[in-house]
Amino acid sequence: MRKTEDYAECTYCGKTEKADYICVESHYICEECRLAKPEEIVRKTCMSTKMLDPLKVAVLIMKHPAIPIHGPEHHYIVSCSILASLRNLGVFNIDGFTFGRAISRAKRIVYGSCGLLGVCGAAAGVGIAVSIALNANMMSDKERSLAMKATSEALDAIQRLGGPRCCKLSTYTAIITAVRFFKIELGISIPMNENLTPCWFRFRNSECLKEKCPYYV
Ligand SMILES: [Zn+2]
Ligand SMILES: [Zn+2]
């Protein structure tokens, strides 16, 4: 961190203001975003980001101090990062209310549901994004099937990795599966070039899967 008098753009919400401190790589985070709670930082970031890569959006959000190393916040981080990327690609009608809807749906999935219900919330987060993008509900035909297929593919990829749970690994895996799903099922190419290795969070997670994790080193 270094002191500055320059104007800088907030890495999270995109607002430009007179900065006080910026990091050595010139990143700046505005005061509102510094104090934001998890839901707020997810909504603000996803509403303003211009990034196309949903993994980059998710990693940026997960680096925010309000996001714990593990927790149910990851369920809506997955949905909202995918929806932000789709909005930036201009492929679905995604507006400012979309993220609030995704968050309220994802919040119904309890923490630890992977082990307790057999449904990882990050996997369900993919289904939520597909459901919202396609306007699915329980009465829909193809859209309902696609939402469930998206969740089941993400879930299968996550279960193969073993445990204990790592919400970062589940988030990476869910988003990577979603990108493949959108390409195969809907013909939508979502760019993805975030380099996940080595995982930025590996030293903060006391239950890190280490060598068992594809992104450890
Ligand atoms: Zn900000
Ligand atoms: Zn920085």
Side-chain angles (χ1 to χ4, degrees):
M1 296 279 267
R2 64 179 173 80
K3 245 184 145 24
T4 182
E5 304 242 300
D6 294 344
Y7 280 81
E9 187 182 332
C10 175
T11 313
Y12 286 89
C13 73
K15 173 168 75 186
T16 299
E17 63 177 21
K18 207 164 177 355
D20 45 8
Y21 288 94
I22 57 171
C23 99
V24 283
E25 289 164 47
S26 298
H27 300 132
Y28 174 65
I29 169 167
C30 76
E31 187 161 346
E32 254 180 55
C33 286
R34 270 176 240 179
L35 301 170
K37 304 255 186 317
E39 278 179 47
E40 273 175 90
I41 200 66
V42 171
R43 202 178 311 111
K44 282 157 79 85
T45 306
C46 290
M47 279 176 72
S48 75
T49 187
K50 303 209 165 42
M51 289 191 271
L52 298 175
D53 178 349
L55 271 180
K56 276 201 199 313
V57 180
V59 168
L60 173 65
I61 292 170
M62 292 192 296
K63 284 179 176 175
H64 190 282
I67 307 297
I69 190 75
H70 302 298
E73 298 81 4
H74 295 81
H75 307 165
Y76 56 78
I77 291 174
V78 169
S79 316
C80 292
S81 303
I82 296 167
L83 289 164
S85 156
L86 294 172
R87 190 257 337 270
N88 293 344
L89 288 165
V91 284
F92 292 105
N93 188 19
I94 288 155
D95 61 22
F97 298 108
T98 304
F99 302 105
R101 278 165 67 208
I103 291 169
S104 74
R105 290 190 196 183
K107 278 175 75 179
R108 299 192 207 161
I109 310 158
V110 295
Y111 181 46
S113 62
C114 50
L116 300 175
L117 311 180
V119 183
C120 164
V126 179
I128 291 170
V130 171
S131 165
I132 289 179
L134 301 180
N135 259 318
N137 60 52
M138 63 184 177
M139 300 304 286
S140 324
D141 177 13
K142 191 145 193 286
E143 295 80 6
R144 173 176 172 272
S145 293
L146 284 169
M148 290 195 288
K149 190 172 188 190
T151 296
S152 74
E153 284 183 8
L155 196 54
D156 188 50
I158 293 166
Q159 67 82 13
R160 285 171 197 276
L161 296 163
R165 62 78 187 86
C166 171
C167 295
K168 305 306 178 203
L169 177 57
S170 298
T171 299
Y172 301 155
T173 308
I175 293 175
I176 291 166
T177 313
V179 168
R180 199 182 54 214
F181 179 90
F182 274 92
K183 178 77 208 158
I184 293 173
E185 302 293 336
L186 298 160
I188 294 165
S189 298
I190 301 175
M192 192 172 53
N193 48 32
E194 174 75 349
N195 184 13
L196 295 173
T197 311
C199 175
W200 198 83
F201 305 94
R202 67 198 184 285
F203 300 126
R204 283 179 55 204
N205 177 8
S206 57
E207 292 135 15
C208 177
L209 295 170
K210 301 197 169 159
E211 284 77 16
K212 264 173 77 186
C213 172
Y215 309 108
Y216 182 60
V217 280

